[in-house]
Amino acid sequence: MGKNNENQEELPQGELIVRTLTMPGDTNPNGDIFGGWVLSQMDIAGAIYSGKRVRGRTVTVGMESMKFHKPVNVGDVLCCYCDTIKEGRTSLTIKIQVWVVRMFEQKRIKVTEGLFSYVAVDEKKRPIPIDTHIK
Ligand SMILES: CC(C)(COP(=O)(O)OP(=O)(O)OC[C@H]1O[C@@H](n2cnc3c(N)ncnc32)[C@H](O)[C@@H]1OP(=O)(O)O)[C@@H](O)C(=O)NCCC(=O)NCCS
């Protein structure tokens, strides 16, 4: 990799799906934002993104490669970006990145990322091919 590439700023990968303000009620006993709350925002983003792709119901089947790079603070604007990594017969694997903008600042910081998998399901919650609803 050349010198120029090394200096290039990393940008969020994918589509912005969830953007929200972190609140005091989302903290752990140390006063940092609770990791489980961040995970739930990522899962909401994945549910919206996968539902839009399959135009129907999806369920979360797996989460892997989670990494919490940096803490999230009260007052951060938290943004979840989704990008499709793999489409299978009934499942989608999505990379979900979480970036924050600290209070009164402008710069985006990547705080968390992971791979989430969703399965398209019918009304009886059985897996169906992801293109079933797309005409
Ligand atoms: C999701 C669910 C319907 C899948 O049913 P299943 O009988 O295991 O279905 P299959 O074995 O045919 O797998 C379906 C797809 O999921 C994928 N899959 C299964 N387990 C997986 C995992 N841990 N991670 C990623 N993908 C997985 C399979 O590879 C397959 O993908 P493909 O069709 O694109 O090749 C079933 O496991 C379920 O209902 N789980 C609970 C979902 C839920 O309630 N989520 C919310 C939790 S709070």
Side-chain angles (χ1 to χ4, degrees):
M1 208 182 265
K3 238 182 181 172
N4 288 343
N5 285 340
E6 280 165 24
N7 293 335
Q8 261 175 13
E9 190 190 347
E10 185 187 358
L11 295 172
Q13 180 183 343
E15 186 181 346
L16 175 61
I17 302 293
V18 164
R19 184 167 184 255
T20 190
L21 180 64
T22 56
M23 303 292 275
D26 307 322
T27 56
N28 62 24
N30 300 323
D32 296 320
I33 296 297
F34 181 50
W37 180 84
V38 175
L39 273 178
S40 76
Q41 299 304 308
M42 296 171 84
D43 196 23
I44 289 168
I48 294 171
Y49 183 84
S50 59
K52 190 171 147 195
R53 165 64 184 91
V54 309
R55 297 191 208 166
R57 190 189 293 197
T58 62
V59 291
T60 314
V61 71
M63 298 175 185
E64 57 178 313
S65 309
M66 285 299 308
K67 176 138 194 222
F68 291 88
H69 299 287
K70 294 199 165 74
V72 180
N73 305 327
V74 173
D76 288 353
V77 175
L78 178 136
C79 301
C80 298
Y81 292 83
C82 295
D83 196 22
T84 302
I85 297 299
K86 188 181 128 201
E87 286 195 2
R89 195 179 79 85
T90 66
S91 71
L92 285 178
T93 303
I94 302 167
K95 179 185 263 193
I96 305 183
Q97 292 187 336
V98 183
W99 291 66
V100 298
V101 179
R102 306 282 190 212
M103 203 163 19
F104 311 131
E105 293 185 9
Q106 308 250 317
K107 194 168 174 258
R108 281 178 294 206
I109 302 164
K110 185 167 75 175
V111 291
T112 303
E113 62 191 323
L115 294 181
F116 285 60
S117 296
Y118 295 84
V119 174
V121 292
D122 64 14
E123 67 287 348
K124 292 194 171 148
K125 302 183 185 171
R126 294 174 303 209
I128 51 170
I130 56 178
D131 285 330
T132 300
H133 300 291
I134 299 172
K135 301 282 179 257

PDB file of all heavy atoms in Angstrom, residues 42-57:
ATOM      1  N   MET A  42     -27.900  -2.157  16.627  1.00  0.00           N
ATOM      2  CA  MET A  42     -27.362  -2.825  15.426  1.00  0.00           C
ATOM      3  C   MET A  42     -28.384  -3.829  14.893  1.00  0.00           C
ATOM      4  O   MET A  42     -28.602  -3.946  13.678  1.00  0.00           O
ATOM      5  CB  MET A  42     -26.050  -3.536  15.762  1.00  0.00           C
ATOM      6  CG  MET A  42     -24.948  -2.594  16.175  1.00  0.00           C
ATOM      7  SD  MET A  42     -23.495  -3.433  16.821  1.00  0.00           S
ATOM      8  CE  MET A  42     -22.613  -3.844  15.318  1.00  0.00           C
ATOM      9  N   ASP A  43     -29.027  -4.557  15.799  1.00  0.00           N
ATOM     10  CA  ASP A  43     -30.005  -5.562  15.370  1.00  0.00           C
ATOM     11  C   ASP A  43     -31.232  -4.899  14.747  1.00  0.00           C
ATOM     12  O   ASP A  43     -31.804  -5.407  13.780  1.00  0.00           O
ATOM     13  CB  ASP A  43     -30.379  -6.445  16.570  1.00  0.00           C
ATOM     14  CG  ASP A  43     -31.073  -7.730  16.155  1.00  0.00           C
ATOM     15  OD1 ASP A  43     -30.895  -8.179  14.989  1.00  0.00           O
ATOM     16  OD2 ASP A  43     -31.805  -8.301  16.981  1.00  0.00           O
ATOM     17  N   ILE A  44     -31.614  -3.736  15.287  1.00  0.00           N
ATOM     18  CA  ILE A  44     -32.734  -2.982  14.686  1.00  0.00           C
ATOM     19  C   ILE A  44     -32.341  -2.564  13.263  1.00  0.00           C
ATOM     20  O   ILE A  44     -33.117  -2.716  12.315  1.00  0.00           O
ATOM     21  CB  ILE A  44     -33.081  -1.739  15.548  1.00  0.00           C
ATOM     22  CG1 ILE A  44     -33.749  -2.177  16.849  1.00  0.00           C
ATOM     23  CG2 ILE A  44     -33.962  -0.759  14.772  1.00  0.00           C
ATOM     24  CD1 ILE A  44     -33.863  -1.068  17.896  1.00  0.00           C
ATOM     25  N   ALA A  45     -31.106  -2.063  13.117  1.00  0.00           N
ATOM     26  CA  ALA A  45     -30.636  -1.641  11.785  1.00  0.00           C
ATOM     27  C   ALA A  45     -30.650  -2.831  10.822  1.00  0.00           C
ATOM     28  O   ALA A  45     -31.120  -2.720   9.681  1.00  0.00           O
ATOM     29  CB  ALA A  45     -29.236  -1.047  11.884  1.00  0.00           C
ATOM     30  N   GLY A  46     -30.146  -3.981  11.292  1.00  0.00           N
ATOM     31  CA  GLY A  46     -30.115  -5.174  10.434  1.00  0.00           C
ATOM     32  C   GLY A  46     -31.510  -5.647  10.066  1.00  0.00           C
ATOM     33  O   GLY A  46     -31.748  -6.098   8.937  1.00  0.00           O
ATOM     34  N   ALA A  47     -32.438  -5.537  11.014  1.00  0.00           N
ATOM     35  CA  ALA A  47     -33.821  -5.959  10.743  1.00  0.00           C
ATOM     36  C   ALA A  47     -34.453  -5.052   9.672  1.00  0.00           C
ATOM     37  O   ALA A  47     -35.125  -5.529   8.745  1.00  0.00           O
ATOM     38  CB  ALA A  47     -34.640  -5.927  12.032  1.00  0.00           C
ATOM     39  N   ILE A  48     -34.227  -3.742   9.797  1.00  0.00           N
ATOM     40  CA  ILE A  48     -34.789  -2.805   8.806  1.00  0.00           C
ATOM     41  C   ILE A  48     -34.174  -3.083   7.433  1.00  0.00           C
ATOM     42  O   ILE A  48     -34.869  -3.203   6.420  1.00  0.00           O
ATOM     43  CB  ILE A  48     -34.517  -1.338   9.223  1.00  0.00           C
ATOM     44  CG1 ILE A  48     -35.275  -0.994  10.506  1.00  0.00           C
ATOM     45  CG2 ILE A  48     -34.898  -0.372   8.091  1.00  0.00           C
ATOM     46  CD1 ILE A  48     -34.887   0.365  11.110  1.00  0.00           C
ATOM     47  N   TYR A  49     -32.855  -3.220   7.415  1.00  0.00           N
ATOM     48  CA  TYR A  49     -32.120  -3.388   6.145  1.00  0.00           C
ATOM     49  C   TYR A  49     -32.489  -4.713   5.470  1.00  0.00           C
ATOM     50  O   TYR A  49     -32.775  -4.755   4.269  1.00  0.00           O
ATOM     51  CB  TYR A  49     -30.629  -3.329   6.463  1.00  0.00           C
ATOM     52  CG  TYR A  49     -29.696  -3.420   5.288  1.00  0.00           C
ATOM     53  CD1 TYR A  49     -29.379  -2.292   4.541  1.00  0.00           C
ATOM     54  CD2 TYR A  49     -29.100  -4.629   4.951  1.00  0.00           C
ATOM     55  CE1 TYR A  49     -28.488  -2.372   3.477  1.00  0.00           C
ATOM     56  CE2 TYR A  49     -28.211  -4.715   3.893  1.00  0.00           C
ATOM     57  CZ  TYR A  49     -27.914  -3.577   3.164  1.00  0.00           C
ATOM     58  OH  TYR A  49     -27.027  -3.669   2.108  1.00  0.00           O
ATOM     59  N   SER A  50     -32.533  -5.802   6.254  1.00  0.00           N
ATOM     60  CA  SER A  50     -32.840  -7.108   5.648  1.00  0.00           C
ATOM     61  C   SER A  50     -34.309  -7.167   5.222  1.00  0.00           C
ATOM     62  O   SER A  50     -34.638  -7.732   4.172  1.00  0.00           O
ATOM     63  CB  SER A  50     -32.504  -8.253   6.610  1.00  0.00           C
ATOM     64  OG  SER A  50     -33.230  -8.142   7.818  1.00  0.00           O
ATOM     65  N   GLY A  51     -35.194  -6.550   6.025  1.00  0.00           N
ATOM     66  CA  GLY A  51     -36.624  -6.537   5.672  1.00  0.00           C
ATOM     67  C   GLY A  51     -36.863  -5.791   4.369  1.00  0.00           C
ATOM     68  O   GLY A  51     -37.701  -6.180   3.549  1.00  0.00           O
ATOM     69  N   LYS A  52     -36.093  -4.703   4.180  1.00  0.00           N
ATOM     70  CA  LYS A  52     -36.201  -3.908   2.942  1.00  0.00           C
ATOM     71  C   LYS A  52     -35.706  -4.741   1.754  1.00  0.00           C
ATOM     72  O   LYS A  52     -36.304  -4.725   0.682  1.00  0.00           O
ATOM     73  CB  LYS A  52     -35.342  -2.659   3.118  1.00  0.00           C
ATOM     74  CG  LYS A  52     -35.510  -1.606   2.060  1.00  0.00           C
ATOM     75  CD  LYS A  52     -34.757  -0.360   2.492  1.00  0.00           C
ATOM     76  CE  LYS A  52     -34.193   0.382   1.300  1.00  0.00           C
ATOM     77  NZ  LYS A  52     -33.182   1.366   1.669  1.00  0.00           N
ATOM     78  N   ARG A  53     -34.641  -5.488   1.967  1.00  0.00           N
ATOM     79  CA  ARG A  53     -34.068  -6.293   0.876  1.00  0.00           C
ATOM     80  C   ARG A  53     -35.024  -7.408   0.445  1.00  0.00           C
ATOM     81  O   ARG A  53     -35.243  -7.624  -0.745  1.00  0.00           O
ATOM     82  CB  ARG A  53     -32.717  -6.882   1.317  1.00  0.00           C
ATOM     83  CG  ARG A  53     -32.171  -8.000   0.449  1.00  0.00           C
ATOM     84  CD  ARG A  53     -31.849  -7.541  -0.979  1.00  0.00           C
ATOM     85  NE  ARG A  53     -31.430  -8.649  -1.806  1.00  0.00           N
ATOM     86  CZ  ARG A  53     -32.260  -9.392  -2.553  1.00  0.00           C
ATOM     87  NH1 ARG A  53     -33.563  -9.127  -2.582  1.00  0.00           N
ATOM     88  NH2 ARG A  53     -31.791 -10.381  -3.285  1.00  0.00           N
ATOM     89  N   VAL A  54     -35.593  -8.126   1.435  1.00  0.00           N
ATOM     90  CA  VAL A  54     -36.421  -9.285   1.068  1.00  0.00           C
ATOM     91  C   VAL A  54     -37.888  -8.889   0.904  1.00  0.00           C
ATOM     92  O   VAL A  54     -38.693  -9.686   0.440  1.00  0.00           O
ATOM     93  CB  VAL A  54     -36.283 -10.459   2.071  1.00  0.00           C
ATOM     94  CG1 VAL A  54     -34.834 -10.810   2.320  1.00  0.00           C
ATOM     95  CG2 VAL A  54     -36.994 -10.211   3.385  1.00  0.00           C
ATOM     96  N   ARG A  55     -38.211  -7.654   1.307  1.00  0.00           N
ATOM     97  CA  ARG A  55     -39.595  -7.155   1.265  1.00  0.00           C
ATOM     98  C   ARG A  55     -40.527  -8.077   2.037  1.00  0.00           C
ATOM     99  O   ARG A  55     -41.611  -8.438   1.569  1.00  0.00           O
ATOM    100  CB  ARG A  55     -40.093  -6.982  -0.173  1.00  0.00           C
ATOM    101  CG  ARG A  55     -39.285  -5.950  -0.935  1.00  0.00           C
ATOM    102  CD  ARG A  55     -39.932  -5.588  -2.233  1.00  0.00           C
ATOM    103  NE  ARG A  55     -38.948  -5.175  -3.198  1.00  0.00           N
ATOM    104  CZ  ARG A  55     -39.184  -5.049  -4.498  1.00  0.00           C
ATOM    105  NH1 ARG A  55     -40.368  -5.330  -4.991  1.00  0.00           N
ATOM    106  NH2 ARG A  55     -38.233  -4.653  -5.304  1.00  0.00           N
ATOM    107  N   GLY A  56     -40.079  -8.496   3.192  1.00  0.00           N
ATOM    108  CA  GLY A  56     -40.897  -9.369   4.031  1.00  0.00           C
ATOM    109  C   GLY A  56     -40.223  -9.578   5.372  1.00  0.00           C
ATOM    110  O   GLY A  56     -39.220  -8.925   5.702  1.00  0.00           O
ATOM    111  N   ARG A  57     -40.761 -10.536   6.113  1.00  0.00           N
ATOM    112  CA  ARG A  57     -40.290 -10.783   7.473  1.00  0.00           C
ATOM    113  C   ARG A  57     -38.920 -11.472   7.478  1.00  0.00           C
ATOM    114  O   ARG A  57     -38.692 -12.382   6.680  1.00  0.00           O
ATOM    115  CB  ARG A  57     -41.320 -11.674   8.173  1.00  0.00           C
ATOM    116  CG  ARG A  57     -41.073 -11.817   9.645  1.00  0.00           C
ATOM    117  CD  ARG A  57     -41.968 -12.883  10.257  1.00  0.00           C
ATOM    118  NE  ARG A  57     -43.381 -12.513  10.236  1.00  0.00           N
ATOM    119  CZ  ARG A  57     -44.293 -13.115  10.983  1.00  0.00           C
ATOM    120  NH1 ARG A  57     -43.960 -14.105  11.797  1.00  0.00           N
ATOM    121  NH2 ARG A  57     -45.554 -12.749  10.912  1.00  0.00           N
TER     122      ARG A  57
END
